[in-house]
Amino acid sequence: MKFLTLSCLVLLGFSLTVAQPKSAAAVDAKVRSLMKSMTLEEKIGQMTQVDYEAIKNTPQDIVKFGLGSILWGGNSEIVDLSPKGWADCYDSLQGLSERTRLKVPILFGIDAVHGHNNVIGAVVFPHNIGLGAANDAALMEKVAMVTAKEMKGTGIHWAFAPCVAVARNERWGRTYESFGEEPELVRAMGTAHVKGLQGADLAAKTSALACVKHFVGDGGTTNGKDQGNTEVDLATLRSVHMPAYKDAIDAGALSVMASYNSWNGNKMHGNRYLLTDVLKGELKFQGFVVSDWNGIDQLSPNYKYAVEQSINAGMDMVMITSPRGNFNSYDVFTSTLKQLVKEKAVSMARIDDAVRRILKAKVMMGLFENRYTDRALLAEVGSASHREVARAAVRQSLVLMKNDTGILPLSKNVKRLIIAGKGADDIGMQCGGWTIDWQGKVGPVTTGGTTILQAVKQAVSSGTVVKYSADGSGADSGDVAVVVVGEQPYAEFMGDKADLSLSPEDVAVVEKLRARKAQVVVVLLSGRPMIVTPVLEKSAAFVAAWLPGTEGQGVADVLFGDHAPTGKLPHSWPRTMQQVPINVGDKEYDPLFPFGFGLTYAAAKAVK
Ligand code: BGC
Ligand code: BGC
């Protein structure tokens, strides 16, 4: 039977090798033959990744240095941010790889961390914290599959995702990049994410390479300080922060990004024990390790020593960025590493190991055969069916925390509905950081999509008057008001906060509505739990919507009962800042809402 099917395919003119992942032997053979003819300079070129904006002479330097990889950082802009603009830029840069002696394709990386979020018109999904609340591996896989497809529509094939941080302190500005505070949840979502991005075959036209980050302990720093010091013992590092890596590697992840953080005072970028002995040895990681944005520059003011320490620790590819600032540029990196090899401070075996790992990924991705954008995928970027997947992700990510009076779900036939709060009509605030810009931006210009206000207007019947008032004025007694409040966009260390209270302005909106005797439903847009007690007490219902992204209809689906809430808290919800950090399993555990809490409509009581 099998034979018949195969021979039919052959008769029909299908090449069997296209449909099947490359065999390990074939991959090795290709890598070996390439490496045999490579010079030291070419090898070091493969280990060099440069930010698009940091390339001093384009196109000359890309060819001259034989750059192995180019990335677009959160703020590296190209001229035309449309899908076609990105595809054109990608193809022209990739074309330069054919001008090098061995024509090794360049690997292009981008922070597609909640959809292909640097592209205007791409679907923006909920940030990971929301997907952790949804806790649905099949959904997670689908989200990542759509992301990979949209990436490939622009040619770009390497996502710096998933972030499998286990965020243990909500002060951390990257809490939303983590699926939650508990390792099992992170494991399940991280694995599904890798599978969705990479597909069954990395060489498939819709697959993208995953980059599991940031190894290791990024979510465990003292006081939740970004790039800080993770002061835990080895057993905790292994049981809390490491399990998701093992799973991702077993699921086939071929790249890992090292973390900025230190472990008990030692920076991860120079940690040979963890990068080599544990990650590559114990966890049997066969892919390559990339450094974070200028990460090795932080190791020592003596750059030569920093390079030596990091490469010998097991760093395979080095992310190099702008010569603005005090960072060393790629010409300095390449000459420094070459000198270190000459002096035998870095062995040729270490260089070969790094290059073998990088080339292996490139071969497995099928880049040698297909290096340019498949333009047939371009039309799918931001398509209606992709937006449907995001909408489903949004409605599954919402956590209903209070509904005492049973005010939710709202009737679509209510006469008058007040929509208030600064987040009600703001795509930028819905999306959060890492959306077009590194830090994200408030306002309508960010990208396409549907705001919560627009979604509510679409959902209600034609007889309903929807009155929008950002500051909550104009309500009458008995009105139902949906108030959308929360955090302004931020990313990374810019989001580290000592105080997670709602802003006075947000509290004032709710108070104003209550003074007019309106019934208030609060929808919180935030990258983490916040201190909400004063507002919670005054509201009839409270929904944590995290950072849902472009598809506001998912919020309306829950508000009007087309979907009963199913999301569960991926974090313990603190009563006060004094309680932070608070995590499930703590000896003393008295949160406002426990990890895993979430109401639904049927009985309006906690379902676990
Ligand atoms: C972040 C990474 C990101 C990289 C590239 C770094 O600052 O820590 O998460 O992938 O920049 O933009
Ligand atoms: C870049 C980001 C990067 C950050 C690190 C920004 O300028 O655009 O990609 O993660 O710097 O500090």
Side-chain angles (χ1 to χ4, degrees):
M1 184 59 198
K2 203 176 204 171
F3 172 72
L4 274 182
T5 322
L6 292 182
S7 36
C8 287
L9 287 174
V10 173
L11 281 176
L12 285 169
F14 286 94
S15 154
L16 290 175
T17 51
V18 170
Q20 283 173 344
K22 291 185 166 60
S23 75
V27 173
D28 282 354
K30 170 90 184 169
V31 170
R32 237 179 293 125
S33 89
L34 275 168
M35 289 197 41
K36 234 185 255 160
S37 54
M38 282 175 110
T39 64
L40 175 61
E41 284 81 359
E42 284 167 334
K43 288 177 180 174
I44 290 175
Q46 286 303 309
M47 296 170 69
T48 310
Q49 179 189 54
V50 184
D51 177 68
Y52 173 73
E53 286 202 339
I55 303 168
K56 290 181 262 189
N57 304 300
T58 307
Q60 295 87 335
D61 280 3
I62 297 174
V63 179
K64 179 175 155 201
F65 289 87
L67 297 182
S69 178
I70 293 174
L71 86 143
W72 284 282
N75 279 338
S76 351
E77 297 278 293
I78 62 169
V79 182
D80 175 359
L81 296 173
S82 71
K84 182 175 177 300
W86 279 99
D88 291 346
C89 178
Y90 168 87
D91 280 344
S92 73
L93 292 171
Q94 184 63 279
L96 300 170
S97 64
E98 299 216 66
R99 307 226 302 246
T100 62
R101 191 174 70 91
L102 295 171
K103 302 186 173 29
V104 178
I106 301 166
L107 204 53
F108 286 84
I110 199 158
D111 290 288
V113 297
H114 59 150
H116 197 11
N117 45 249
N118 290 289
V119 179
I120 289 185
V123 181
V124 177
F125 289 95
H127 268 297
N128 285 351
I129 192 168
L131 296 168
N135 191 9
D136 178 338
L139 171 78
M140 179 69 258
E141 196 170 329
K142 228 192 242 172
V143 165
M145 261 170 67
V146 169
T147 303
K149 221 185 200 180
E150 297 215 348
M151 289 174 66
K152 293 297 278 288
T154 64
I156 306 169
H157 43 237
W158 185 18
F160 298 135
C163 174
V164 297
V166 180
R168 304 290 285 178
N169 189 321
E170 287 79 19
R171 290 185 176 90
W172 190 33
R174 308 189 79 155
T175 299
Y176 67 77
E177 294 190 55
S178 153
F179 295 108
E181 71 184 25
E182 194 269 337
E184 293 304 311
L185 175 60
V186 174
R187 289 176 73 170
M189 294 304 106
T191 308
H193 197 140
V194 169
K195 284 187 183 161
L197 282 176
Q198 296 199 165
D201 177 5
L202 251 184
K205 64 177 187 174
T206 51
S207 295
L209 178 66
C211 185
V212 196
K213 71 186 189 185
H214 311 80
F215 190 80
V216 62
D218 49 355
T221 60
T222 302
N223 295 325
K225 186 180 169 0
D226 192 44
Q227 310 193 7
N229 189 15
T230 299
E231 296 168 274
V232 299
D233 60 17
L234 181 58
T236 307
L237 198 67
R238 283 177 181 279
S239 63
V240 174
H241 300 284
M242 231 183 264
Y245 288 92
K246 161 104 179 68
D247 294 348
I249 290 162
D250 291 347
L254 279 184
S255 79
V256 165
M257 189 183 291
S259 188
Y260 281 129
N261 69 271
S262 304
W263 176 47
N264 294 327
N266 296 314
K267 288 214 170 270
M268 277 304 308
H269 275 67
N271 195 315
R272 192 189 146 88
Y273 169 65
L274 290 169
L275 294 180
T276 295
D277 300 352
V278 175
L279 179 62
K280 294 178 177 176
E282 242 176 77
L283 302 184
K284 302 193 171 55
F285 176 56
Q286 302 291 314
F288 64 95
V289 182
V290 63
S291 72
D292 202 345
W293 187 267
N294 298 317
I296 66 169
D297 296 65
Q298 297 187 0
L299 288 179
S300 163
N302 176 345
Y303 187 61
K304 188 173 175 192
Y305 176 67
V307 173
E308 177 185 345
Q309 196 195 352
S310 192
I311 302 295
N312 284 339
M315 199 64 73
D316 301 309
M317 185 185 275
V318 172
M319 192 189 288
I320 293 161
T321 68
S322 177
R324 295 188 302 262
N326 293 321
F327 307 119
N328 293 283
S329 61
Y330 50 95
D331 39 354
V332 179
F333 169 72
T334 50
S335 60
T336 303
L337 184 52
K338 196 173 160 191
Q339 185 61 29
L340 286 164
V341 173
K342 276 207 182 120
E343 293 169 9
K344 299 204 160 43
V346 171
S347 71
M348 212 42 224
R350 178 69 271 275
I351 299 288
D352 283 344
D353 173 55
V355 177
R356 195 178 302 117
R357 289 167 179 272
I358 293 162
L359 290 177
K360 180 181 166 183
K362 292 185 178 184
V363 173
M364 286 181 70
M365 291 166 77
L367 286 175
F368 286 85
E369 298 83 17
N370 294 306
R371 71 181 74 201
Y372 297 106
T373 311
D374 178 350
R375 299 275 167 159
L377 289 171
L378 195 55
E380 296 203 39
V381 180
S383 70
S385 68
H386 290 179
R387 291 190 188 278
E388 271 310 309
V389 176
R391 178 177 180 166
V394 173
R395 60 178 173 246
Q396 284 187 239
S397 69
L398 266 45
V399 180
L400 178 63
M401 288 161 58
K402 180 180 179 184
N403 192 20
D404 289 353
T405 59
I407 190 174
L408 291 181
L410 300 172
S411 161
K412 291 181 183 174
N413 297 314
V414 62
K415 287 228 162 49
R416 203 169 114 96
L417 205 53
I418 311 285
I419 310 293
K422 61 176 188 283
D425 195 23
D426 193 325
I427 284 283
M429 194 169 147
Q430 257 170 242
C431 290
W434 297 108
T435 309
I436 308 298
D437 286 296
W438 175 40
Q439 291 295 319
K441 225 182 225 164
V442 289
V445 289
T446 318
T447 185
T450 307
T451 67
I452 295 172
L453 174 67
Q454 289 165 340
V456 166
K457 284 183 174 166
Q458 286 170 15
V460 293
S461 64
S462 54
T464 304
V465 176
V466 176
K467 185 173 161 23
Y468 172 55
S469 128
D471 68 354
S473 53
D476 290 335
S477 174
D479 270 343
V480 172
V482 175
V483 182
V484 188
V485 292
E487 291 187 302
Q488 305 287 103
Y490 54 80
E492 299 188 47
F493 51 88
M494 307 276 277
D496 287 0
K497 283 186 198 163
D499 184 4
L500 296 172
S501 305
L502 272 178
S503 71
E505 179 197 355
D506 284 350
V507 177
V509 180
V510 174
E511 280 172 351
K512 189 181 269 181
L513 287 159
R514 288 299 291 141
R516 301 299 300 253
K517 301 208 162 33
Q519 295 171 272
V520 174
V521 174
V522 173
V523 175
L524 181 70
L525 297 176
S526 68
R528 48 195 154 183
M530 297 182 74
I531 307 305
V532 295
T533 318
V535 155
L536 189 71
E537 282 166 359
K538 294 190 175 78
S539 60
F542 195 102
V543 177
W546 317 110
L547 298 169
T550 47
E551 307 313 300
Q553 295 101 324
V555 176
D557 290 341
V558 168
L559 293 179
F560 294 100
D562 294 318
H563 178 89
T566 48
K568 302 283 176 279
L569 290 180
H571 283 270
S572 309
W573 199 288
R575 295 171 188 276
T576 59
M577 277 319 287
Q578 288 67 46
Q579 270 195 333
V580 180
I582 181 165
N583 293 297
V584 60
D586 286 355
K587 269 202 205 92
E588 276 174 46
Y589 188 65
D590 180 31
L592 188 58
F593 297 101
F595 175 85
F597 179 84
L599 303 169
T600 189
Y601 290 152
K605 61 173 192 252
V607 282
K608 263 229 127 180

